[in-house]
Amino acid sequence: MMVTCKYFRFFKTTHSIQLGLLSLLFLCLGYSLNAQATLRGSVRDADNGQYLTGATVYLKNIKKGTDTDTLGNFRFTDLAPGRYTIEVSFLGYQQLEMAEVLVSTGKEQVLDIELQEAPTSLTSITVKASRSPQSGASPNLLRLTQEETLRFPVTFNDPARLATAYPGISGANDQANHLVIRGQSPLGMHWRLEGLEIVNPNHTANAGTFSDRSTLSGGGVNALSAQLLEEANFYLGAYPAGYGNATAGLMDLRLRNGNNEQREHTIQAGLIGFDIATEGPIKEGASSYLVNYRYSFTGLLSDLGVPLGDEDIRFQDLSFKLNFPGEKGNAFQLFGIMGRSSNDFIQSEDTTAWESEKDLYSTIDFDSKMATIGFNWQHPQQDKGLWLLSGAWSGIRNSRLAVASDLPNREYDNLEQEKTSLRLSYRRKLLPFGSVTFGIEGLYLDQKVSREFALGGEGIPGRVSDGIVLSPYLDWRYQIKKLNLQLGWRATTYLNWLDEKTYSEPRLAVSYLANKTTSLGGEYNVTTQAPSPYAPQLQARKARQYSLFWNRKLGDNRKISLQVYHQELTQVAGTGARSAINQLEIILPESSATTEGRTQGVELSLQQFATGGWWYVLSGSLFDARYLNEQDEWVKTRFAQDFATALTFGKEWSGVDRLDRTNRFGFNVAVRWNGGLRSTPILLQASQAARTTVFDYGAGFTNQLPAYFRTDLRIYYQKNHATWNSMLSLDIQNWSGQQNTAYDYYDRYLGEITTRYQLEFIPILSYRINF
């Protein structure tokens, strides 16, 4: 049975609603007095958390600077709204340069900046508007900021979709944020929140899949609103010793603290959803809260009785962070996400309008519930060390029910997963020998999956697995003159299930500063990952990656990076085409067999920071992803696209109107051109006999879909009033209307093999107010 969760189909039926909203929202851009903005924050030691007194914070654009006070704080008031480049320096520490820092009225820009102590004076490290330096400038770590998430075209305020603008990353389907990393299945990555592993934090986890079943790695919309996001640290196959249980990628979402001095609010209305965020001090100048609630636009229209085609799609979520700083750098934080989503198909009563086998169903109901709650506690030990303790519980339950009159029985899917994470670490300075971190991470997994098939399978009555993963680790960072060394080791033990083995996972990262503008380096990484509930519980998947990179600064606001890598995968559940290397949501049959995989490639990126005028990100990847089939031949994987390219660029204009208000107008364009995903041949006669798609898995992924091409556009206009700012934006996904193939399948209603296409032209209007 082939159906697809058309998450954004409703946009085609709401064009007139968008025009009405556009007219209404323009009326909201009204009169105000002179507008000025505030930039403030703190500077602290990255190793021990101690605030730095006397650090210099300098705004390069306007040649204005200040020093931090005795509590490490700094403040700039009466700034003209716009983008700034900030230099932060302190004697004995690496200088940090932060580009793309945006300040506006109505909402203070608060930065919590960390500096790395260094025994020698090196050239400055340039990053985006990120709180801390990127150690070694490795291309395997992407720092995706909140500002980028809100600026890049058609991200749906989702850092996972933003990541596809960078090398080595592409989407598996426009309807969802499943990420294909260097030709690997999205199952090779996992999500973290505040450094702790959590379940899939996405709504409608079945969106964009071949079988309309749930996935563990993505969905239609991220349940964490970007209103709470500070940055997302995205690791590509190489991780510090404190991270594990992933072989392709790892997305660590970091939440910002709420404003601890004044209350601020954000209201955003768009065709994705309605956001209401509020933040402010619990105790003025100290503790703070940050809360966001979101309800889907489609759900609201359904509540009002407005028809949205043949699907009722809705979601809502609540996310929060409470921050309680104490004396001498102590702090306790509590955070959480709660979300629910559903997608119900509405069968047309007019049988003459039926077009595919999906119309045969009287019921296709998908429902998802997820929740995460966690804490962080830090305790500095004078000026030498820092204790960190954190923990989180997260759980998700996805269910899908499908009933059709021509089926002998129902289709039913149920996925339940819980993760309990706990981490304890101690970081100690060893100057002049850098710093060392000792830690231990524990993860308890409890998961269950069951399926009933009406056609083409016996189903899975219930595959239950639970176990503990214990991982002590050591991470040593050392810098001498122009050489930066990071040496790590992690020992991962799987208890209660799998093979109950302990795996040694060494980590090594080296970078060398050749001159003031050029650095080069390399990384070596070994990591393991527990099988998903879709795979038989056998051994942990194992990955080994080598990479070499070269970086060069081209002026103050531009940089280029080149990387080559080689990765090996072993102990992957399944064999041949039906191994976990090639699957996303399909349950693998019971088997003790495993297979191997390998990926190698080269990546290039060129970036101009958005500090005024033109900005761009150009990325390109060439890679070869293969697996070992039953004949011991290395053949292409399902996700072996061979190449992935992306160009995102934009232009921004700022001006002062007759009321002395600084307003911004800009446009951004994104272009993506990737090789097509691969598929196995479909056996037509066997499919007709079985009345469902039957693949020739023995042939492997010998068919390649047409190349993928898409262009997106974003136009926005921001007005800075005296005490608030507003932004009106229009995003258009696939504005050229390109018809990209999603997959081929056998349609039992049509009695033939047919093609399902990805999303076409989608306009998304949004209006945002900060006050």
Side-chain angles (χ1 to χ4, degrees):
M1 202 274 297
M2 295 295 122
V3 294
T4 184
C5 175
K6 281 291 186 183
Y7 188 82
F8 298 106
R9 179 181 294 182
F10 69 92
F11 287 111
K12 294 183 178 181
T13 64
T14 57
H15 184 64
S16 60
I17 296 176
Q18 295 182 63
L19 294 178
L21 283 174
L22 181 62
S23 302
L24 175 62
L25 295 176
F26 265 120
L27 297 177
C28 298
L29 306 178
Y31 173 84
S32 76
L33 300 175
N34 183 31
Q36 299 294 329
T38 297
L39 168 66
R40 66 179 180 89
S42 61
V43 181
R44 67 174 70 198
D45 187 296
D47 289 321
N48 59 26
Q50 294 290 323
Y51 290 104
L52 301 178
T53 301
T56 299
V57 183
Y58 181 69
L59 305 183
K60 293 182 65 175
N61 312 55
I62 59 175
K63 296 180 173 56
K64 182 177 181 180
T66 188
D67 293 336
T68 56
D69 61 19
T70 56
L71 298 178
N73 297 320
F74 67 91
R75 182 185 299 267
F76 295 94
T77 58
D78 298 330
L79 293 178
R83 298 186 186 277
Y84 291 85
T85 298
I86 303 175
E87 284 184 351
V88 186
S89 58
F90 189 67
L91 184 63
Y93 286 73
Q94 286 185 342
Q95 180 174 291
L96 181 66
E97 184 172 295
M98 303 174 63
E100 303 183 339
V101 178
L102 177 66
V103 297
S104 304
T105 60
K107 196 174 189 66
E108 294 182 335
Q109 177 65 269
V110 183
L111 302 176
D112 186 9
I113 301 170
E114 296 178 348
L115 294 183
Q116 200 84 59
E117 190 165 1
T120 58
S121 177
L122 296 178
T123 187
S124 65
I125 297 176
T126 302
V127 299
K128 294 172 291 187
S130 175
R131 62 181 294 178
S132 59
Q134 181 175 319
S135 180
S138 167
N140 289 311
L141 169 58
L142 301 177
R143 293 193 183 275
L144 309 173
T145 66
Q146 181 201 52
E147 191 276 333
E148 281 183 308
T149 305
L150 298 174
R151 168 166 44 102
F152 278 48
V154 196
T155 64
F156 304 123
N157 297 342
D158 181 355
R161 283 187 170 88
L162 168 63
T164 61
Y166 293 92
I169 309 165
S170 59
N173 192 292
D174 288 344
Q175 296 182 43
N177 60 7
H178 312 300
L179 296 180
V180 176
I181 303 170
R182 297 168 176 170
Q184 286 200 51
S185 165
L187 284 175
M189 72 163 285
H190 79 237
W191 295 77
R192 292 195 174 215
L193 181 63
E194 293 288 305
L196 297 160
E197 184 171 345
I198 61 172
V199 299
N200 180 12
N202 291 282
H203 293 302
T204 55
N206 65 327
T209 62
F210 178 81
S211 66
D212 202 36
R213 266 78 176 185
S214 297
T215 68
L216 296 163
S217 59
V221 178
N222 197 300
L224 176 67
S225 172
Q227 314 288 356
L228 276 73
L229 187 68
E230 180 178 50
E231 65 183 13
N233 296 328
F234 192 24
Y235 297 89
L236 304 177
Y239 323 111
Y243 292 98
N245 199 31
T247 53
L250 185 155
M251 180 78 79
D252 185 9
L253 304 171
R254 296 287 176 162
L255 308 179
R256 63 184 180 88
N257 293 327
N259 194 313
N260 63 349
E261 293 186 2
Q262 65 181 35
R263 304 195 188 281
E264 298 176 340
H265 315 282
T266 298
I267 298 176
Q268 178 168 288
L271 296 191
I272 295 299
F274 291 86
D275 284 75
I276 300 176
T278 182
E279 60 185 287
I282 299 175
K283 181 180 180 181
E284 188 171 352
S287 54
S288 64
Y289 67 89
L290 174 61
V291 182
N292 186 90
Y293 174 75
R294 179 172 54 175
Y295 192 76
S296 60
F297 180 77
T298 54
L300 179 62
L301 291 184
S302 296
D303 292 338
L304 296 175
V306 179
L308 294 172
D310 60 5
E311 294 191 12
D312 181 356
I313 306 171
R314 60 182 69 204
F315 67 85
Q316 59 180 320
D317 50 63
L318 175 70
S319 45
F320 68 91
K321 183 178 182 181
L322 307 178
N323 183 42
F324 302 95
E327 297 181 354
K328 299 180 180 180
N330 287 286
F332 178 80
Q333 298 170 343
L334 188 66
F335 55 87
I337 309 173
M338 290 161 279
R340 179 169 185 174
S341 60
S342 63
N343 180 16
D344 299 336
F345 172 68
I346 304 171
Q347 186 183 42
S348 172
E349 297 180 357
D350 181 8
T351 58
T352 62
W354 290 2
E355 298 177 345
S356 67
E357 70 174 40
K358 182 178 180 180
D359 295 310
L360 297 172
Y361 287 81
S362 59
T363 300
I364 305 177
D365 293 342
F366 178 85
D367 184 76
S368 177
K369 304 180 185 69
M370 69 83 59
T372 297
I373 187 167
F375 72 91
N376 281 323
W377 173 76
Q378 71 172 32
H379 174 66
Q381 190 181 45
Q382 298 179 352
D383 61 345
K384 294 297 183 181
L386 177 68
W387 284 99
L388 294 171
L389 175 65
S390 54
W393 173 89
S394 60
I396 191 169
R397 178 174 180 176
N398 297 331
S399 62
R400 177 183 180 275
L401 173 65
V403 179
S405 58
D406 68 326
L407 295 179
N409 47 53
R410 69 176 187 172
E411 296 176 1
Y412 180 72
D413 295 73
N414 185 70
L415 169 66
E416 299 177 28
Q417 188 179 54
E418 294 183 19
K419 293 184 178 182
T420 304
S421 304
L422 189 66
R423 171 188 282 193
L424 175 66
S425 68
Y426 176 67
R427 188 161 58 232
R428 179 82 177 182
K429 287 197 174 191
L430 300 176
L431 290 178
F433 302 105
S435 64
V436 63
T437 301
F438 303 92
I440 184 169
E441 184 175 44
L443 173 67
Y444 174 67
L445 274 167
D446 188 2
Q447 47 199 20
K448 176 182 179 181
V449 62
S450 60
R451 286 185 177 171
E452 300 174 17
F453 291 89
L455 295 170
E458 297 178 356
I460 304 293
R463 180 179 286 168
V464 181
S465 58
D466 69 311
I468 299 173
V469 185
L470 288 178
S471 302
Y473 62 90
L474 167 69
D475 193 278
W476 176 53
R477 184 191 59 83
Y478 180 54
Q479 181 181 304
I480 178 171
K481 294 185 178 179
K482 296 184 178 183
L483 185 67
N484 189 297
L485 173 67
Q486 189 167 2
L487 180 64
W489 177 78
R490 184 182 181 96
T492 301
T493 302
Y494 295 88
L495 302 175
N496 290 359
W497 96 111
L498 303 177
D499 49 16
E500 296 196 349
K501 286 184 179 180
T502 298
Y503 293 87
S504 178
E505 303 178 17
R507 317 285 170 86
L508 173 65
V510 181
S511 63
Y512 176 73
L513 185 66
N515 53 52
K516 292 182 178 180
T517 61
T518 305
S519 64
L520 61 156
E523 292 183 297
Y524 172 73
N525 187 87
V526 175
T527 187
T528 59
Q529 182 180 11
S532 77
Y534 295 151
Q537 301 305 311
L538 304 169
Q539 307 173 79
R541 180 193 300 194
K542 190 174 182 179
R544 186 190 315 270
Q545 178 169 301
Y546 313 80
S547 64
L548 297 172
F549 62 84
W550 170 83
N551 299 317
R552 184 176 179 86
K553 291 178 63 177
L554 306 173
D556 290 338
N557 300 310
R558 191 164 60 252
K559 67 176 184 178
I560 187 172
S561 179
L562 176 68
Q563 178 175 217
V564 294
Y565 65 89
H566 175 83
Q567 187 184 58
E568 302 166 357
L569 294 170
T570 56
Q571 300 183 175
V572 183
T575 57
R578 300 204 69 183
S579 68
I581 290 177
N582 297 305
Q583 301 301 335
L584 178 58
E585 81 282 5
I586 304 300
I587 293 181
L588 300 179
E590 294 288 347
S591 172
S592 60
T594 61
T595 192
E596 300 178 14
R598 70 184 186 198
T599 303
Q600 51 195 6
V602 57
E603 298 171 349
L604 176 69
S605 68
L606 176 64
Q607 181 170 8
Q608 167 80 45
F609 290 121
T611 54
W614 288 95
W615 65 270
Y616 56 82
V617 178
L618 173 64
S619 69
S621 306
L622 295 174
F623 56 92
D624 182 54
R626 296 178 180 266
Y627 69 96
L628 194 64
N629 67 9
E630 292 91 336
Q631 291 75 41
D632 289 332
E633 301 169 328
W634 287 100
V635 296
K636 298 279 189 177
T637 71
R638 172 186 173 186
F639 303 98
Q641 297 166 290
D642 297 333
F643 71 92
T645 60
L647 171 62
T648 309
F649 65 94
K651 171 68 173 175
E652 189 170 88
W653 294 267
S654 296
V656 179
D657 63 17
R658 61 185 179 84
L659 298 176
D660 201 27
R661 297 172 303 195
T662 301
N663 301 321
R664 293 189 303 132
F665 173 78
F667 77 91
N668 304 324
V669 177
V671 182
R672 286 171 175 78
W673 180 41
N674 306 327
L677 298 173
R678 298 175 184 269
S679 63
T680 57
I682 296 175
L683 301 175
L684 178 58
Q685 292 184 343
S687 298
Q688 290 173 335
R691 299 179 60 230
T692 189
T693 307
V694 178
F695 292 104
D696 183 7
Y697 286 111
F701 293 89
T702 52
N703 296 337
Q704 185 170 20
L705 302 178
Y708 174 94
F709 181 80
R710 196 183 91 197
T711 55
D712 301 329
L713 174 67
R714 175 177 173 82
I715 303 173
Y716 59 92
Y717 178 61
Q718 183 187 47
K719 293 182 71 70
N720 286 280
H721 304 258
T723 58
W724 58 286
N725 75 77
S726 62
M727 176 175 286
L728 179 67
S729 61
L730 174 65
D731 288 70
I732 302 177
Q733 177 170 305
N734 197 7
W735 65 270
S736 62
Q738 182 74 20
Q739 198 172 50
N740 292 303
T741 301
Y743 50 78
D744 297 325
Y745 73 102
Y746 172 77
D747 190 297
R748 72 175 188 269
Y749 177 76
L750 301 175
E752 61 186 23
I753 297 174
T754 188
T755 300
R756 180 75 68 182
Y757 294 98
Q758 299 198 47
L759 299 177
E760 298 181 14
F761 179 90
I762 300 176
I764 306 168
L765 186 67
S766 180
Y767 184 63
R768 176 186 178 93
I769 300 176
N770 294 307
F771 61 98

